[in-house]
Amino acid sequence: MATQPTQGNDVSKPGVKRMRWATQRVTSMRAEGKRNAITNRFHRGGHGAEKKRDSGGTDSGDGSNLGGGGRDTSDIDGDPGRNNDGTYPPRRMFFNIPLPDDARDTDGRPIAHFTRNKIRTSKYTPLSFVPKNLWYQFHNIANIYFLILIILAFFPIFGASDPGLNVVPLTFILFITAVKDAIEDWRRTVLDNELNNSPVHRLVDWNNVNTSEDKISIWRRIKKASTRGVMSVFGLWRRKTKDRSRGRKTYTERALDEPRVSIETWRTNRDSVALPRDSIEEEGIQMTPAPSPLPHNTSHGEEITSGRNRSNTGFSYDDSELPIGAFNGPLHEDLKDHKKSINIPVKFHGSLINLSKQIPEKARFKKDYWKNVQVGDFVRIYNDDPIPADIVILSTSDPDGACYVETKNLDGETNLKVRNALQSGKKAKHARDCERMDFVIESEPPHANLYQYSGVVRWRQRDIKKPEGDGMDMAEPISINNLMLRGCSLRNTEWVLGVVIFTGEETKIMINSGVSTRKRSRITRELNWNVVYNFMILLGMCIVSGVVNGVTFGEGNHSFVFFEYGSIGKTPALNGFITFWTGIILFQNLVPISLYITLEVIKTAQAFFIYSDTLMYYEKLDYPCTPKSWNISDDVGQIEYIFSDKTGTLTQNVMEFKKATVNGVPYGEAYTEAQAGMQRRQGVNVEVESAKAHKQIALDRIRMLEALRKIHQNPYLHDEELTFVAPDFVADMNGAAGNAQKIANQDFMLALALCHTVITEKTPGDPPKIEFKAQSPDEAALVGTARDCGFTVLGRSQDGIFLNVLGEEKEYKILNTLEFNSSRKRMSAIVRMPDGRIILYCKGADSVIYSRLKRSEQGQLRRDTAEHLESFAREGLRTLCIAQRILGEDEYQKWNKEYDIAAAAVYDREDKLETVSDAIETELTLLGGTAIEDRLQDGVPDTIALLGDAGIKLWVLTGDKVETAINIGFSCNLLNNDMELIVFKTEDDTIVSAGKELDKHLAKFNITGSDEELRAARKNHEPPDAGHAIVIDGDALKLVLTEELRQKFLLLCKRCKSVLCCRVSPSQKAAVVQMVKVGLDVMTLSIGDGANDVAMIQEADVGVGIAGEEGRQAVMSSDYAIGQFRFLQRLVLVHGRWSYRRLGETIANFFYKNMVWTFVLFWYQLYNNFDGSYFFDYTYILLVNLVFTSIPIGLMGILDQDVSDKVSLAVPQLYRRGIERKEWTQTKFWIYMLDGIYQSLICFFMAYLLFSPATSVTSNGLGLEDRERMGVYVACATIVVINGYILMNTYRWDWLMVLVVIISTLLIWFWTGVYTSFPGNASIPFYMAGAEAYGQLSFWVLSLLTIIICLLPRFVCKSFQKIFLPRDVDIVREQIRQGKFTYLDQEGSPSQVSEKGSSADSANSTKPGDAGHAKPQFSPDDDTRPIYPPSVTATGTTHNPRSQNGSDGTDYTGHRASLEQPPPRISLDRPRPSFERIRQSMDRTRPSFEASDDFTSAAMLTRMESSHSQTPTQRMPHGSSSLR
């Protein structure tokens, strides 16, 4: 809306605070869906874009690499729009207005420089590829190390026998990496060109004063020419190979993290125009009349926003206000007269079009490239077109200015969003209208927040009757709702006209595609120290060699003086220096540089196996488990703490409206999982109760449907979609309980139908069907229930909403919508009713609404409603309160002026709007409350129980209220009846009281929270006793996370089996994760499904995102993406454990083999005065790590298994070895190193003892005593020992592993025999060395003895350990051989059972693998689906100071028969079975629990008085969490 200019909107104000949001990029290699592919690449799981290993050459090293693509802006004129400190300045854009003097330089050009719209995610050009790629690759210390060795080898002084061969390994690595980088970058280049050359309709032949002519430098012209040349060659080759199969998307391509296509939308592929010209010569395109997505002139809502089937709008309609008679009928005629009679003020929005302005009428819209779009351009977008830049909407094909955009490529959400045109620009339709516009846009600088934008458009409104007059200055605020962002697509709207404000690198999508947080696995971090240790050993060996050699040459009385013709260095010191560097070359294999390459190959294979696991494939979404960070798979095998969201993670996030309380009367029949768990804990037969309840619900459903159709034949009511089963509600709405209750029920449903931001979509049919697209599933459930009860939302206009109220169509004008956010925890809609009244409807958290009610009124209603809400929460339902306030006309107009001023602010708009909104949301009248069920996902109880058996501690961090979280905790096995529930609360919300409460609870465990206790806790990885659980809300959590109390709270939680943090904000979730991760030095995993989980996902060592109902923000920021929570058990307990154990064993064996090989060379130096001569032929040194030993150890890291996946799940305790980090320790490292030294001694000195007594000769008299032939003896035996040692440490001896070991062993004999048989290959002394050695019996006997003596100690130690000191896995492997786990193959693994949807009671599991016995049960209807809450035994001896009966005091009533229970307290004369059942279960506990706990319980709500009624701007502290 337009407002008068206000103070405080100076555009020179400093830039806004920058924020990094959830959308991050991962590299995409798809050739299909080109525009979406490149935009998706910026926002999929950030860690999938994590830089590859340093030797891969993909790390720029300077921070310019923005993820996997490494966006290079060197060809896009740098970043001319940024300040020196990297921030963006505010900006002003002028349209058809000359630039003022302060916006021009001395040459008259614009001072402000905006980035081009061309983007480049590729790093290279044809000219820069070779030098740039080599530069990136040599940022890796490993490649530098190899290069130094090569350079040294080319100096004969260092004794390298064949420097040319030394180049081969490094050249091979550089070449393979360069080819990989070239392919990846080429694909990025192709996609960049496709995107940059996509067509858009841009206004031409007019003067855009915001930009100046772009000058192209000579160097840039050369680069462009080279790129075009390569593209031309590629195009020619591609045309020749066009007959190759193009194929459809493969299973692998489908797993790339892009949001699934929503069923209500479709996409039209428009071929991009990739021509070498700068623009496309095409005639201007004339606009044509287009249908509107909103209902006008319809009957019974038959033409609702269904995309193609819409009513015509007609371009003759130019009124800026929605006509009152949009629906024809006497009601609206009366409404017109009524508005005239009460003199309702009508706002004047003004128009940006200056009708009196003389224009040349030359401007026209012409198809052009995206890359030519500039800031300040007018553009026109057509239906299904992607958005080329961030655009302010001026007008749309709908006269109300509405349009639909799909943002799934931007934020992952699949539902459509409504965006609105500026009120002042809605009349613009043609190019000539754009020429007549005179206005200025003042905008905040670019930033990353996808959900926030503040700007203002200013213009001078002239009177068409007096065009020569000065006119009136006007302004209209611009918010995110008036913005279409690059990366979105236009849907269900024929066209949109807008102006460009951000281009290229300054668009929100590109700012969010920055460098993602880099995660490195714990083993990788610890491995650096082991490499340093080896390097220190290498330096020690080289120093010893240099010193001994220098001293020996200095003495001069040794026998070598008769054979050496002087020393190279001439002096002992120089000889020692030369020998030092010779030793670096000779012992180079001691530093395992190739280990990093091997580990990357292993981790890549592990990621592929995780992705290919069909048991983690979610068929409903066609979504496999998708690894995004390939280098942290071993961390998944060391997880000790899991932090989980509740809604959408443990639950389905598919909301069903179940119950309500209206005017103090409870309605609704439901039998929830939490309620079943509560009754199970009371000793009630759940199966019997469930059958009774479901039978009653089925009968009540029939009664309710009949009653609804008697009131009104609702065409939008579908029997199968009815979730709110309450026949008494319909009866009361029809007047059965009196007129007051009738009015209350109707007002309640009207509030649900009006207070929301839902988009409607109609599916034609008989009967028709209306679907609601909401940003929150809760909101869609509320509106859906209103529809079922006869209050159907038909559609929206720019400032109104159309309802079908019990068969009568009505229009309600939405004056203001005060949107929901995590700090407000409420939303409101101010509505002008058809009778002219103004009513504010507000819905939100119960504590928030109660604090804003009228003081000293509705006392009994408050108490009744609070009691009902608490009972709903105990059934595991999510509750909201509904309230309203009737506003006076003057009161509203006065407030609306303040609201308009706040809405027009360019800076701090959100804070100002929140302050103004808080002032009006007071003095509310309570209407009632709602209760929505979010069912548990399949397999959640089993998964939590299995993870607990593995020693993993699960914490739930949720925004729900305490009662809901507790009952869901009982339902999903997180809590059980044997636990003492510690509900942490403070008396006065001060740190002092929180400290006292902590000390009180710590005393139960005889600890004080000291530093010594913290050090002991870090070393103790045992799971705590299952006797305690702690529950804390956001307000108390804020206190205990302070520096003074954090350590005590951490130690208290360490002693508890389960921790539930309720009413927490996203930042608090991340803070809790950080506290545990750093405080206890443990490995953590966070799992969630929404944007509010992104912070904790990124904070944890491993982040897992669930592709659920809330979009894909969590998935895009995660390290692993899964479809359901139950897949976590397989990801962690199977693949994580396998990966950790494999890598731990692989690394240890890698160090061992290098130690053996290198120290054999070192022992030889003892007998040649450490002169650096080679004991082996140089080809052995080059090939030992490349060929002879690399494949067996690589196969060990990829395929080795100690037990199968089924056994891993059947015996989850095997995972505890990973929690305790026993697979890779420094002790293990040094044991393997010492083992390598021992075996090197045997390998060398066995041969030495053979040759030292006498001279050995062949059968024809040739000597065997030279070092080359002795080297053959030693080298062949050493390789066999190394490969045999690796095989001995491998658990799984399948045919592939054994075959690879045999081939690798035979390969050195084959190489020696063949290589030495040709004089051109081998050196003269090495010629025929293989044949001569193989012909000696001593060679084979020595090899056999060496192998036995080397491996015997290891064999004896392993045998002793497995027989007398067996580990868990050794016992399990023996049981497998005894056939004790054969039942897993017969009945299926636990993972297979859970895949079928079983939620069997895990408490029945009494032996390893019992989860596999769970029988899958199926039910076609959720209401009749069996519920499997955790079973409990009698707990009469369990002590709980909070309980009256020795058990869980929340709802336990003892194991008495139902006849012995206290009689139910009936609230009304009509029975309400569901509510009375839950009330009975609370009777015994009410004095001990509800009366003492203040977590939004009935006790607290009934005592709460509004703190906002007298001082509207004062806020009551109620946390900062969202409703979820």
Side-chain angles (χ1 to χ4, degrees), residues 381-395:
I381 312 298
Y382 288 96
N383 190 37
D384 291 332
D385 278 349
I387 311 302
D390 291 353
I391 297 171
V392 173
I393 306 171
L394 294 179
S395 63

Side-chain angles (χ1 to χ4, degrees), residues 884-915:
Q884 71 175 24
R885 177 185 177 186
I886 300 177
L887 302 174
E889 188 70 39
D890 295 338
E891 178 186 15
Y892 168 74
Q893 295 300 335
K894 180 180 178 181
W895 173 87
N896 193 47
K897 291 180 181 179
E898 298 178 0
Y899 181 85
D900 289 343
I901 294 174
V906 179
Y907 298 100
D908 301 325
R909 178 183 296 172
E910 283 69 24
D911 293 337
K912 295 176 181 178
L913 285 175
E914 186 168 342
T915 301

